[in-house]
Amino acid sequence: MASVTLAGKASAAQTRPADTAKILNYNPKMGYRRLGKTGLMISEISLGGHHGKSPEERIPILDRAAELA
């Protein structure tokens, strides 16, 4: 049981960065994680793959993502 608690604390530490000043558009309601060995902090949730698409093509994708969230 103690190992589960420790694992939970390790996970929580991973999602709560110590220095949020370096995160562009930081939101206290969002979880953040380190990106591999880069040290960069990224949000736990992201939606990519829209390069080259018009806003008309992106809006239904974003609407659907919001519905599923």
Side-chain angles (χ1 to χ4, degrees):
M1 180 89 77
S3 63
V4 172
T5 303
L6 291 175
K9 287 183 180 180
S11 177
Q14 194 177 44
T15 60
R16 291 189 191 97
D19 184 9
T20 58
K22 294 181 181 180
I23 298 175
L24 184 62
N25 298 324
Y26 175 73
N27 182 337
K29 295 180 181 179
M30 174 62 71
Y32 294 87
R33 296 178 184 253
R34 296 205 185 282
L35 179 61
K37 295 179 181 179
T38 67
L40 296 173
M41 297 302 292
I42 60 170
S43 62
E44 291 180 339
I45 300 173
S46 65
L47 180 63
H50 300 278
H51 180 70
K53 294 193 178 205
S54 70
E56 292 79 19
E57 292 175 297
R58 291 182 206 151
I59 290 170
I61 295 168
L62 297 171
D63 286 341
R64 181 68 176 142
E67 288 173 11
L68 296 173

